[in-house]
Amino acid sequence: NAGVTQTPKFRVLKTGQSMTLLCAQDMNHEYMYWYRQDPGMGLRLIHYSVGEGTTAKGEVPDGYNVSRLKKQNFLLGLESAAPSQTSVYFCASSNRDGYGYTFGSGTRLTVV
Amino acid sequence: KQEVTQIPAALSVPEGENLVLNCSFTDSAIYNLQWFRQDPGKGLTSLLLIQSSQREQTSGRLNASLDKSSGRSTLYIAASQPGDSATYLCAVLNQAGTALIFGKGTTLSVSS
């Protein structure tokens, strides 16, 4: 099915470990995003990309890095995981005109 | 800084009722406003998108309105059904088209 695919779906990390979350979309969307969703805080934008090779900071970028080497992929990295990064992470993509927002099913990350 | 507020935070209604969910935003300089649905443990599904120049959009039993000057939007659900039970999220897209800012959502429960 066309859409946004996130891997992995679940992960438990120890404090200080690193990991990369992968997002892939097959809709030829220009824009891609990473959000985190926390109880009582709603969805908050971490980083986004408006095209291959570009990235920009969102509302809560600290502790995360991203890369968009290919148009269809957007990677989110945690270099040294902290308990405060325990959250559900959603990737999304859209057309340049703001239409077609499509979200992945999420990655539930726990940092202990 | 754009802030999006949704009222009420939770709503319980019997099947068949018509209901209204409210969304307000602080900065009227938006590109568009979108309503999403999120089922527990799932990603977000786009319901309706209203461009900043439009007043309303309809899809089946759903109708969304936008009053940009007052910073308000409403989502009207007609003849509610148990399958409508979910969290409904309102989001505004900034004028650059690069960031969706979300409200914290209204969790709807429709009993049969």
Side-chain angles (χ1 to χ4, degrees):
Chain A
N1 291 335
V4 177
T5 303
Q6 292 183 233
T7 53
K9 296 190 183 306
F10 302 93
R11 184 73 184 268
V12 178
L13 282 180
K14 293 183 178 179
T15 298
Q17 286 185 320
S18 63
M19 77 164 295
T20 300
L21 281 67
L22 174 62
C23 176
Q25 55 96 1
D26 59 5
M27 296 166 288
N28 202 35
H29 282 167
E30 286 289 334
Y31 292 7
M32 296 188 74
Y33 317 83
W34 277 106
Y35 288 87
R36 61 178 289 174
Q37 187 175 36
D38 303 289
M41 300 296 293
L43 276 151
R44 293 178 293 170
L45 183 64
I46 305 171
H47 285 282
Y48 65 95
S49 168
V50 298
E52 183 178 316
T54 74
T55 63
K57 295 180 180 179
E59 182 185 358
V60 288
D62 294 342
Y64 306 95
N65 57 76
V66 288
S67 64
R68 185 134 180 238
L69 300 180
K70 294 183 179 181
K71 184 177 183 179
Q72 64 268 33
N73 296 335
F74 196 28
L75 279 61
L76 178 71
L78 286 73
E79 290 188 348
S80 180
S84 60
Q85 294 178 304
T86 294
S87 186
V88 180
Y89 292 85
F90 287 101
C91 176
S93 68
S94 76
N95 290 317
R96 200 178 305 177
D97 58 5
Y99 276 88
Y101 256 90
T102 306
F103 281 78
S105 58
T107 295
R108 186 171 295 275
L109 174 66
T110 302
V111 182
V112 298
Chain B
K1 178 186 172 186
Q2 177 76 269
E3 293 184 359
V4 180
T5 303
Q6 292 187 246
I7 295 174
L11 182 63
S12 293
V13 300
E15 182 177 8
E17 271 204 10
N18 301 324
L19 57 100
V20 174
L21 307 182
N22 296 294
C23 172
S24 62
F25 48 95
T26 55
D27 186 351
S28 62
I30 64 171
Y31 194 89
N32 64 40
L33 182 143
Q34 304 188 36
W35 284 92
F36 292 85
R37 168 184 172 139
Q38 185 176 28
D39 293 290
K42 304 290 186 183
L44 281 69
T45 301
S46 179
L47 296 174
L48 289 165
L49 183 153
I50 311 176
Q51 290 288 23
S52 61
S53 59
Q54 296 176 324
R55 297 285 292 183
E56 67 177 336
Q57 282 287 334
T58 298
S59 176
R61 294 182 293 109
L62 304 180
N63 175 276
S65 68
L66 173 64
D67 184 344
K68 201 172 71 165
S69 61
S70 67
R72 294 182 181 181
S73 175
T74 61
L75 179 66
Y76 175 83
I77 302 177
S80 58
Q81 303 171 358
D84 294 331
S85 298
T87 297
Y88 291 82
L89 295 160
C90 169
V92 296
L93 185 65
N94 63 0
Q95 280 204 321
T98 55
L100 263 183
I101 309 300
F102 283 86
K104 294 180 181 179
T106 294
T107 299
L108 173 65
S109 176
V110 182
S111 56
S112 55

